[in-house]
PDB file of all heavy atoms in Angstrom:
ATOM      1  N   LYS A 115     -21.054   5.350 -23.280  1.00  0.00           N
ATOM      2  CA  LYS A 115     -21.983   6.372 -23.764  1.00  0.00           C
ATOM      3  C   LYS A 115     -21.212   7.674 -23.906  1.00  0.00           C
ATOM      4  O   LYS A 115     -20.418   8.028 -23.041  1.00  0.00           O
ATOM      5  CB  LYS A 115     -23.134   6.556 -22.773  1.00  0.00           C
ATOM      6  CG  LYS A 115     -24.014   5.335 -22.656  1.00  0.00           C
ATOM      7  CD  LYS A 115     -25.150   5.592 -21.680  1.00  0.00           C
ATOM      8  CE  LYS A 115     -26.073   4.401 -21.625  1.00  0.00           C
ATOM      9  NZ  LYS A 115     -25.675   3.415 -20.666  1.00  0.00           N
ATOM     10  N   PHE A 116     -21.488   8.367 -24.987  1.00  0.00           N
ATOM     11  CA  PHE A 116     -20.814   9.627 -25.263  1.00  0.00           C
ATOM     12  C   PHE A 116     -21.873  10.720 -25.290  1.00  0.00           C
ATOM     13  O   PHE A 116     -22.846  10.627 -26.020  1.00  0.00           O
ATOM     14  CB  PHE A 116     -20.043   9.541 -26.586  1.00  0.00           C
ATOM     15  CG  PHE A 116     -19.047   8.411 -26.565  1.00  0.00           C
ATOM     16  CD1 PHE A 116     -19.379   7.166 -27.073  1.00  0.00           C
ATOM     17  CD2 PHE A 116     -17.807   8.579 -25.981  1.00  0.00           C
ATOM     18  CE1 PHE A 116     -18.480   6.112 -27.021  1.00  0.00           C
ATOM     19  CE2 PHE A 116     -16.902   7.536 -25.923  1.00  0.00           C
ATOM     20  CZ  PHE A 116     -17.239   6.300 -26.444  1.00  0.00           C
ATOM     21  N   ARG A 117     -21.670  11.763 -24.466  1.00  0.00           N
ATOM     22  CA  ARG A 117     -22.719  12.765 -24.251  1.00  0.00           C
ATOM     23  C   ARG A 117     -22.330  14.180 -24.657  1.00  0.00           C
ATOM     24  O   ARG A 117     -23.181  15.037 -24.754  1.00  0.00           O
ATOM     25  CB  ARG A 117     -23.108  12.786 -22.767  1.00  0.00           C
ATOM     26  CG  ARG A 117     -23.581  11.465 -22.244  1.00  0.00           C
ATOM     27  CD  ARG A 117     -24.930  11.135 -22.816  1.00  0.00           C
ATOM     28  NE  ARG A 117     -25.461   9.928 -22.212  1.00  0.00           N
ATOM     29  CZ  ARG A 117     -26.186   9.060 -22.867  1.00  0.00           C
ATOM     30  NH1 ARG A 117     -26.460   9.244 -24.140  1.00  0.00           N
ATOM     31  NH2 ARG A 117     -26.640   7.985 -22.270  1.00  0.00           N
ATOM     32  N   ARG A 118     -21.044  14.423 -24.852  1.00  0.00           N
ATOM     33  CA  ARG A 118     -20.578  15.781 -25.142  1.00  0.00           C
ATOM     34  C   ARG A 118     -19.298  15.683 -25.940  1.00  0.00           C
ATOM     35  O   ARG A 118     -18.466  14.830 -25.685  1.00  0.00           O
ATOM     36  CB  ARG A 118     -20.299  16.492 -23.809  1.00  0.00           C
ATOM     37  CG  ARG A 118     -19.743  17.895 -23.936  1.00  0.00           C
ATOM     38  CD  ARG A 118     -19.102  18.319 -22.592  1.00  0.00           C
ATOM     39  NE  ARG A 118     -18.763  19.724 -22.552  1.00  0.00           N
ATOM     40  CZ  ARG A 118     -17.684  20.258 -23.098  1.00  0.00           C
ATOM     41  NH1 ARG A 118     -16.812  19.514 -23.753  1.00  0.00           N
ATOM     42  NH2 ARG A 118     -17.448  21.542 -22.984  1.00  0.00           N
ATOM     43  N   LYS A 119     -19.121  16.582 -26.903  1.00  0.00           N
ATOM     44  CA  LYS A 119     -17.857  16.628 -27.633  1.00  0.00           C
ATOM     45  C   LYS A 119     -16.747  17.107 -26.699  1.00  0.00           C
ATOM     46  O   LYS A 119     -16.966  17.969 -25.860  1.00  0.00           O
ATOM     47  CB  LYS A 119     -17.945  17.605 -28.809  1.00  0.00           C
ATOM     48  CG  LYS A 119     -18.872  17.188 -29.900  1.00  0.00           C
ATOM     49  CD  LYS A 119     -18.826  18.236 -30.994  1.00  0.00           C
ATOM     50  CE  LYS A 119     -20.183  18.409 -31.600  1.00  0.00           C
ATOM     51  NZ  LYS A 119     -20.257  19.528 -32.531  1.00  0.00           N
ATOM     52  N   VAL A 120     -15.562  16.542 -26.891  1.00  0.00           N
ATOM     53  CA  VAL A 120     -14.362  16.996 -26.192  1.00  0.00           C
ATOM     54  C   VAL A 120     -13.461  17.604 -27.260  1.00  0.00           C
ATOM     55  O   VAL A 120     -13.126  16.946 -28.244  1.00  0.00           O
ATOM     56  CB  VAL A 120     -13.674  15.839 -25.444  1.00  0.00           C
ATOM     57  CG1 VAL A 120     -12.384  16.309 -24.787  1.00  0.00           C
ATOM     58  CG2 VAL A 120     -14.625  15.230 -24.409  1.00  0.00           C
ATOM     59  N   VAL A 121     -13.091  18.870 -27.052  1.00  0.00           N
ATOM     60  CA  VAL A 121     -12.388  19.628 -28.088  1.00  0.00           C
ATOM     61  C   VAL A 121     -11.132  20.278 -27.505  1.00  0.00           C
ATOM     62  O   VAL A 121     -10.985  20.384 -26.284  1.00  0.00           O
ATOM     63  CB  VAL A 121     -13.322  20.701 -28.691  1.00  0.00           C
ATOM     64  CG1 VAL A 121     -14.532  20.063 -29.362  1.00  0.00           C
ATOM     65  CG2 VAL A 121     -13.765  21.708 -27.643  1.00  0.00           C
ATOM     66  N   PRO A 122     -10.217  20.718 -28.378  1.00  0.00           N
ATOM     67  CA  PRO A 122      -9.026  21.402 -27.876  1.00  0.00           C
ATOM     68  C   PRO A 122      -9.404  22.560 -26.958  1.00  0.00           C
ATOM     69  O   PRO A 122     -10.355  23.305 -27.214  1.00  0.00           O
ATOM     70  CB  PRO A 122      -8.344  21.904 -29.150  1.00  0.00           C
ATOM     71  CG  PRO A 122      -8.770  20.918 -30.195  1.00  0.00           C
ATOM     72  CD  PRO A 122     -10.197  20.580 -29.842  1.00  0.00           C
ATOM     73  N   GLY A 123      -8.655  22.666 -25.853  1.00  0.00           N
ATOM     74  CA  GLY A 123      -8.924  23.689 -24.857  1.00  0.00           C
ATOM     75  C   GLY A 123      -9.667  23.145 -23.653  1.00  0.00           C
ATOM     76  O   GLY A 123      -9.667  23.757 -22.589  1.00  0.00           O
ATOM     77  N   ASP A 124     -10.314  21.979 -23.808  1.00  0.00           N
ATOM     78  CA  ASP A 124     -11.020  21.361 -22.688  1.00  0.00           C
ATOM     79  C   ASP A 124     -10.041  20.734 -21.704  1.00  0.00           C
ATOM     80  O   ASP A 124      -8.954  20.281 -22.093  1.00  0.00           O
ATOM     81  CB  ASP A 124     -11.983  20.263 -23.169  1.00  0.00           C
ATOM     82  CG  ASP A 124     -13.240  20.810 -23.818  1.00  0.00           C
ATOM     83  OD1 ASP A 124     -13.545  22.013 -23.649  1.00  0.00           O
ATOM     84  OD2 ASP A 124     -13.938  20.018 -24.488  1.00  0.00           O
ATOM     85  N   VAL A 125     -10.434  20.687 -20.451  1.00  0.00           N
ATOM     86  CA  VAL A 125      -9.719  19.930 -19.429  1.00  0.00           C
ATOM     87  C   VAL A 125     -10.638  18.772 -19.070  1.00  0.00           C
ATOM     88  O   VAL A 125     -11.736  18.972 -18.540  1.00  0.00           O
ATOM     89  CB  VAL A 125      -9.397  20.782 -18.186  1.00  0.00           C
ATOM     90  CG1 VAL A 125      -8.744  19.921 -17.111  1.00  0.00           C
ATOM     91  CG2 VAL A 125      -8.493  21.952 -18.571  1.00  0.00           C
ATOM     92  N   LEU A 126     -10.199  17.591 -19.412  1.00  0.00           N
ATOM     93  CA  LEU A 126     -10.986  16.380 -19.194  1.00  0.00           C
ATOM     94  C   LEU A 126     -10.671  15.835 -17.811  1.00  0.00           C
ATOM     95  O   LEU A 126      -9.512  15.573 -17.490  1.00  0.00           O
ATOM     96  CB  LEU A 126     -10.622  15.372 -20.282  1.00  0.00           C
ATOM     97  CG  LEU A 126     -11.545  14.224 -20.595  1.00  0.00           C
ATOM     98  CD1 LEU A 126     -12.951  14.677 -20.920  1.00  0.00           C
ATOM     99  CD2 LEU A 126     -10.977  13.421 -21.756  1.00  0.00           C
ATOM    100  N   GLU A 127     -11.700  15.669 -16.979  1.00  0.00           N
ATOM    101  CA  GLU A 127     -11.548  15.034 -15.669  1.00  0.00           C
ATOM    102  C   GLU A 127     -12.054  13.607 -15.795  1.00  0.00           C
ATOM    103  O   GLU A 127     -13.185  13.380 -16.198  1.00  0.00           O
ATOM    104  CB  GLU A 127     -12.346  15.770 -14.590  1.00  0.00           C
ATOM    105  CG  GLU A 127     -11.715  17.054 -14.151  1.00  0.00           C
ATOM    106  CD  GLU A 127     -12.299  17.571 -12.847  1.00  0.00           C
ATOM    107  OE1 GLU A 127     -13.143  16.892 -12.227  1.00  0.00           O
ATOM    108  OE2 GLU A 127     -11.890  18.672 -12.451  1.00  0.00           O
ATOM    109  N   LEU A 128     -11.199  12.672 -15.438  1.00  0.00           N
ATOM    110  CA  LEU A 128     -11.465  11.244 -15.621  1.00  0.00           C
ATOM    111  C   LEU A 128     -11.673  10.612 -14.247  1.00  0.00           C
ATOM    112  O   LEU A 128     -10.714  10.313 -13.547  1.00  0.00           O
ATOM    113  CB  LEU A 128     -10.286  10.610 -16.360  1.00  0.00           C
ATOM    114  CG  LEU A 128      -9.912  11.350 -17.656  1.00  0.00           C
ATOM    115  CD1 LEU A 128      -8.457  11.204 -17.976  1.00  0.00           C
ATOM    116  CD2 LEU A 128     -10.798  10.894 -18.797  1.00  0.00           C
ATOM    117  N   HIS A 129     -12.913  10.439 -13.860  1.00  0.00           N
ATOM    118  CA  HIS A 129     -13.260   9.894 -12.548  1.00  0.00           C
ATOM    119  C   HIS A 129     -13.394   8.376 -12.678  1.00  0.00           C
ATOM    120  O   HIS A 129     -14.278   7.900 -13.401  1.00  0.00           O
ATOM    121  CB  HIS A 129     -14.586  10.491 -12.058  1.00  0.00           C
ATOM    122  CG  HIS A 129     -14.533  11.972 -11.884  1.00  0.00           C
ATOM    123  ND1 HIS A 129     -14.367  12.561 -10.655  1.00  0.00           N
ATOM    124  CD2 HIS A 129     -14.607  12.995 -12.787  1.00  0.00           C
ATOM    125  CE1 HIS A 129     -14.356  13.875 -10.802  1.00  0.00           C
ATOM    126  NE2 HIS A 129     -14.492  14.162 -12.089  1.00  0.00           N
ATOM    127  N   VAL A 130     -12.527   7.633 -12.015  1.00  0.00           N
ATOM    128  CA  VAL A 130     -12.590   6.173 -12.084  1.00  0.00           C
ATOM    129  C   VAL A 130     -12.790   5.585 -10.691  1.00  0.00           C
ATOM    130  O   VAL A 130     -12.252   6.091  -9.706  1.00  0.00           O
ATOM    131  CB  VAL A 130     -11.342   5.551 -12.755  1.00  0.00           C
ATOM    132  CG1 VAL A 130     -11.226   5.999 -14.205  1.00  0.00           C
ATOM    133  CG2 VAL A 130     -10.076   5.872 -12.003  1.00  0.00           C
ATOM    134  N   THR A 131     -13.585   4.532 -10.646  1.00  0.00           N
ATOM    135  CA  THR A 131     -13.789   3.786  -9.402  1.00  0.00           C
ATOM    136  C   THR A 131     -13.654   2.297  -9.707  1.00  0.00           C
ATOM    137  O   THR A 131     -13.996   1.843 -10.796  1.00  0.00           O
ATOM    138  CB  THR A 131     -15.172   4.050  -8.772  1.00  0.00           C
ATOM    139  OG1 THR A 131     -16.182   3.762  -9.733  1.00  0.00           O
ATOM    140  CG2 THR A 131     -15.307   5.483  -8.306  1.00  0.00           C
ATOM    141  N   THR A 132     -13.147   1.579  -8.743  1.00  0.00           N
ATOM    142  CA  THR A 132     -12.988   0.137  -8.892  1.00  0.00           C
ATOM    143  C   THR A 132     -14.267  -0.552  -8.471  1.00  0.00           C
ATOM    144  O   THR A 132     -14.769  -0.326  -7.374  1.00  0.00           O
ATOM    145  CB  THR A 132     -11.808  -0.358  -8.016  1.00  0.00           C
ATOM    146  OG1 THR A 132     -10.631   0.335  -8.410  1.00  0.00           O
ATOM    147  CG2 THR A 132     -11.596  -1.858  -8.175  1.00  0.00           C
ATOM    148  N   LYS A 133     -14.771  -1.390  -9.364  1.00  0.00           N
ATOM    149  CA  LYS A 133     -15.960  -2.186  -9.040  1.00  0.00           C
ATOM    150  C   LYS A 133     -15.557  -3.563  -8.513  1.00  0.00           C
ATOM    151  O   LYS A 133     -16.231  -4.134  -7.680  1.00  0.00           O
ATOM    152  CB  LYS A 133     -16.845  -2.337 -10.273  1.00  0.00           C
ATOM    153  CG  LYS A 133     -17.447  -1.012 -10.741  1.00  0.00           C
ATOM    154  CD  LYS A 133     -18.387  -1.199 -11.886  1.00  0.00           C
ATOM    155  CE  LYS A 133     -19.666  -1.798 -11.315  1.00  0.00           C
ATOM    156  NZ  LYS A 133     -20.747  -1.854 -12.271  1.00  0.00           N
ATOM    157  N   ARG A 134     -14.444  -4.072  -9.076  1.00  0.00           N
ATOM    158  CA  ARG A 134     -13.926  -5.378  -8.640  1.00  0.00           C
ATOM    159  C   ARG A 134     -12.433  -5.385  -8.923  1.00  0.00           C
ATOM    160  O   ARG A 134     -11.993  -4.961  -9.989  1.00  0.00           O
ATOM    161  CB  ARG A 134     -14.619  -6.502  -9.418  1.00  0.00           C
ATOM    162  CG  ARG A 134     -14.194  -7.897  -8.973  1.00  0.00           C
ATOM    163  CD  ARG A 134     -14.866  -9.016  -9.785  1.00  0.00           C
ATOM    164  NE  ARG A 134     -14.336  -9.035 -11.138  1.00  0.00           N
ATOM    165  CZ  ARG A 134     -15.061  -8.911 -12.241  1.00  0.00           C
ATOM    166  NH1 ARG A 134     -16.346  -8.721 -12.190  1.00  0.00           N
ATOM    167  NH2 ARG A 134     -14.489  -8.959 -13.431  1.00  0.00           N
TER     168      ARG A 134
END
Side-chain angles (χ1 to χ4, degrees):
K115 294 181 177 88
F116 303 94
R117 302 289 186 215
R118 177 198 190 280
K119 293 181 216 172
V120 177
V121 298
D124 285 344
V125 176
L126 199 55
E127 285 196 4
L128 308 151
H129 298 260
V130 297
T131 55
T132 302
K133 294 184 75 171
R134 183 182 70 237

